[in-house]
Amino acid sequence: MIVVIDFGSQYNQLIARRVRDYKVYCQIEPPDIDIERLKTLNPQGIILSGGPSSIYEKNSPRTTEEIFSLGVPVLGICYGMQFMVHALGGGVAKAEKREYGYAQLKVEQPGELFNEVPGTTPCWMSHGDSITALPDGFSPRAATDNTPYAAVADPKRRFYGLQFHPEVEHTPKGKQILKNFLFDICGCKPNWTMKAFAKEVIAEIRETVGNKSVILGLSGGVDSSVTALLIHKAIGKQLTCIFVDNGLLRLNEGARMKKLFKQHLKMNIRYVNATDQFLNPLAGVIDPEKKRKIIGKVFMDVFEAEAKTITDADFLAQGTLYPDIIESQSAFGGPTSIIKSHHNVGGLPKKMKLKLIEPLKFLFKDEVRKLGLAIGLPEDLVWRQPFPGPGLAIRVIGEITKKRLSVLRKVDAILIEEIRAAGYYKKVWQSFAVLLPIKSVGVMGDKRTYENIIALRAVTSKDAMTADWAKLPHKLLGRISNRIINEVNGVNRVVYDISSKPPSTIEWE
Ligand code: XMP
């Protein structure tokens, strides 16, 4: 494995991704990692990430200098390189000319790190400080117009430093440089595959759980489904999944889940129909945040009541992903706001004295998808678009009634069917319909109608933090609109949302 020490760079997840793309396991650790823990991890190489600080700032992040005595190769990137040079007795100072963005890298003394990298190649810089003097044993390897020490190396001790960012797309040969570090310098083997990972995790779960029981809240999304199947493969019927039908799900969602998990995968599923428990307190509520609060609270109550009936449950399993973990531990505290809390049964483990199992906590979303496929989940489940915990409640704008939910459900089913058929389901981040709280006049069969309006929303995005409206073909939009108005009673107008995030959000509420 490779350990990335996180000095707060916005790119450190990208470094981990790149390493894993080469089938080498990689883990991000905070700078204050205990040296004994680092030794137990037994990394084959250490990457010191970049970061926004200057090494001379009082509170700039540091890691133990003992990492330089482990005999393990170290690659410092940007601030990580400056930290290494400074720690080993070299000099770092404010650069005369700060360098941001594109620069031409001239490789003067290639060495193993620059195998198969041309003599001149573009690189991407972002720094205010620069190296002024190298520690003993180091020599310069590459330069840019403004930076004589754009790459440095002490091949004897296997220490390398890059002032530029090899992990970003704007450094086209960056992947090759990282590859050289992993395989030619650290001697890693590309054997970290999802199949191997699944095998390891399943064995681990079996050992942790022993003969005890595990409960899990199954939502129908990718993360909880993959978590459930992994644990099921490890301990079979010792796992009980609780699927709460809150009455706010998509058409046939409950039946589909039962069919797959209960009948097909033979898992132990408790299906709790709690429609009225959710819809009663939601009656007349139109404020979106109030809706979320009510749904979150009822979910906890329903889940807890069901969980209590499962005797000798010792563990609660959750589909927490790696970005959530990194964000909460990052050197500079990440944007925790993207972690949604309503579906988080976070209070439960303490209250019920449950221990947590989070088998996906080292994976990124696309890795979870690969893992899901590797353990046999069907492709259409693995590639589901995100669906918000409060479900259709925040897509029925205004008052939530069974009737309005039923209208939206039919519309949503048509939309998804058409988007899939046109090959856009995987191309967009999310595509859904919103039922508006206003009516408009129409004419159907020579008769005046006064009915509901549906807004269609489809966005492209990488992480839901920003999004753009999807440029769906007009023909497709026309077909969807036609079908909705013809097939769903109570709708006489369809509009398409052409706002991006920011300043709008993806959901309407
Ligand atoms: P917004 O609307 O904030 O949505 O641009 C960003 C992403 O989060 C989803 N979303 C939610 N997910 N509970 C959830 O589990 C919520 O309350 C919630 N609100 C929004 C939304 O679908 C999008 O993917």
Side-chain angles (χ1 to χ4, degrees):
M1 73 158 348
I2 294 287
V3 166
V4 175
I5 302 287
D6 171 13
F7 284 136
S9 161
Q10 53 179 319
Y11 302 121
N12 57 32
Q13 288 198 34
L14 205 51
I15 303 176
R17 293 304 338 257
R18 297 272 183 254
V19 174
R20 291 179 180 199
D21 283 346
Y22 282 116
K23 297 196 170 62
V24 174
Y25 182 62
C26 178
Q27 202 163 301
I28 301 176
E29 294 292 336
D32 60 0
I33 182 174
D34 180 67
I35 189 73
E36 290 311 318
R37 182 172 140 67
L38 188 60
K39 281 183 193 160
T40 340
L41 291 176
N42 193 22
Q44 275 175 285
I46 295 172
I47 298 178
L48 304 175
S49 88
S53 308
S54 166
I55 192 76
Y56 292 111
E57 278 166 23
K58 216 168 116 217
N59 292 325
S60 59
R62 305 192 176 221
T63 194
T64 166
E65 290 177 14
E66 284 181 68
I67 60 164
F68 300 114
S69 338
L70 295 175
V72 170
V74 179
L75 174 65
I77 296 173
C78 198
Y79 174 87
M81 169 209 208
Q82 294 160 5
F83 170 81
M84 173 164 69
V85 165
H86 178 72
L88 296 173
V92 179
K94 212 152 224 32
E96 262 169 44
K97 284 187 187 154
R98 300 195 309 176
E99 227 181 353
Y100 289 100
Y102 165 84
Q104 189 74 324
L105 187 75
K106 289 182 216 86
V107 184
E108 288 145 355
Q109 271 194 73
E112 4 6 11
L113 197 59
F114 290 97
N115 283 341
E116 292 181 50
V117 175
T120 50
T121 181
C123 71
W124 202 80
M125 291 280 194
S126 174
H127 65 115
D129 288 352
S130 276
I131 307 291
T132 50
L134 291 178
D136 286 346
F138 276 81
S139 57
R141 298 293 159 140
T144 65
D145 283 345
N146 292 328
T147 310
Y149 301 117
V152 302
D154 175 351
K156 221 176 185 170
R157 287 188 286 179
R158 298 187 295 169
F159 293 160
Y160 300 83
L162 301 174
Q163 186 56 72
F164 59 91
H165 288 270
E167 68 276 23
V168 302
E169 289 295 340
H170 310 288
T171 302
K173 287 290 166 188
K175 286 181 200 158
Q176 179 67 44
I177 296 172
L178 287 174
K179 187 177 171 200
N180 294 338
F181 179 69
L182 299 178
F183 300 114
D184 300 347
I185 295 167
C186 300
C188 294
K189 297 256 172 338
N191 52 13
W192 191 68
T193 62
M194 278 304 146
K195 274 224 157 84
F197 177 78
K199 216 172 137 193
E200 236 171 71
V201 172
I202 289 169
E204 221 170 87
I205 295 170
R206 212 170 270 147
E207 193 179 314
T208 313
V209 175
N211 55 7
K212 301 287 196 309
S213 304
V214 180
I215 47 179
L216 174 144
L218 192 63
S219 73
V222 188
D223 307 339
S224 69
S225 299
V226 174
T227 308
L229 187 55
L230 262 183
I231 299 178
H232 173 73
K233 282 182 180 283
I235 56 166
K237 296 280 180 191
Q238 284 163 258
L239 167 70
T240 306
C241 298
I242 299 173
F243 180 83
V244 177
D245 187 341
N246 55 13
L248 304 164
L249 305 173
R250 280 163 292 186
L251 195 68
N252 301 331
E253 181 73 1
R256 211 182 53 86
M257 290 300 289
K258 271 198 247 179
K259 195 168 165 207
L260 173 66
F261 287 94
K262 208 169 192 151
Q263 291 171 18
H264 183 61
L265 296 169
K266 306 267 181 279
M267 288 170 57
N268 205 354
I269 306 283
R270 297 264 185 105
Y271 179 89
V272 187
N273 186 348
T275 302
D276 291 337
Q277 265 165 281
F278 282 88
L279 294 193
N280 290 342
L282 282 171
V285 177
I286 52 174
D287 177 65
E289 282 316 297
K290 269 199 192 132
K291 287 181 180 175
R292 280 193 173 82
K293 279 211 177 83
I294 293 170
I295 293 166
K297 182 175 177 318
V298 177
F299 179 82
M300 279 284 281
D301 291 347
V302 172
F303 190 88
E304 188 184 352
E306 191 63 30
K308 271 190 180 148
T309 66
I310 299 162
T311 41
D312 47 84
D314 269 47
F315 296 92
L316 177 78
Q318 278 186 342
T320 319
L321 301 193
Y322 199 31
D324 306 337
I325 304 251
I326 304 171
E327 264 142 27
S328 50
Q329 76 169 20
S330 169
F332 295 91
T336 43
S337 57
I338 60 163
I339 302 167
K340 306 285 172 187
S341 57
H342 85 284
H343 232 199
N344 194 344
V345 276
L348 212 59
K350 237 187 184 164
K351 217 165 155 189
M352 292 186 65
K353 300 203 174 69
L354 295 171
K355 287 172 247 165
L356 268 183
I357 298 191
E358 297 172 307
L360 310 183
K361 68 178 175 193
F362 291 123
L363 300 185
F364 293 99
K365 188 85 178 183
D366 57 324
E367 291 173 331
V368 172
R369 293 206 159 107
K370 280 188 204 151
L371 176 63
L373 291 175
I375 60 174
L377 276 178
E379 172 122 14
D380 67 328
L381 191 145
V382 164
W383 279 104
R384 293 194 103 184
Q385 292 175 358
F387 184 68
L392 300 183
I394 55 167
R395 293 179 180 173
V396 167
I397 311 299
E399 196 178 352
I400 302 164
T401 61
K402 283 192 176 164
K403 194 164 167 223
R404 300 190 76 212
L405 283 168
S406 155
V407 168
L408 184 59
R409 240 176 231 126
K410 288 178 196 151
V411 169
D412 179 73
I414 293 172
L415 170 73
I416 300 285
E417 192 181 309
E418 289 296 335
I419 293 270
R420 273 195 200 277
Y424 274 86
Y425 187 81
K426 264 162 87 169
K427 282 189 206 156
V428 296
W429 171 266
Q430 269 172 299
S431 45
F432 56 91
V434 182
L435 177 62
L436 305 191
I438 45 170
K439 292 192 169 187
S440 80
V441 174
V443 52
M444 267 178 174
D446 293 336
K447 275 213 177 93
R448 178 189 191 267
T449 58
Y450 188 55
E451 295 287 9
N452 291 296
I453 306 175
I454 287 288
L456 304 178
R457 179 90 163 127
V459 297
T460 51
S461 174
K462 279 212 148 60
D463 49 15
M465 297 291 285
T466 59
D468 196 7
W469 61 280
K471 314 296 182 289
L472 295 181
H474 291 174
K475 246 186 158 167
L476 172 60
L477 286 169
R479 197 161 52 241
I480 296 171
S481 163
N482 248 336
R483 277 198 61 194
I484 292 173
I485 295 174
N486 283 327
E487 294 175 33
V488 184
N489 280 338
V491 179
N492 70 356
R493 191 176 296 270
V494 173
V495 297
Y496 189 48
D497 179 349
I498 53 168
S499 10
S500 60
K501 172 184 179 175
S504 301
T505 53
I506 296 177
E507 302 289 346
W508 276 42
E509 288 201 330

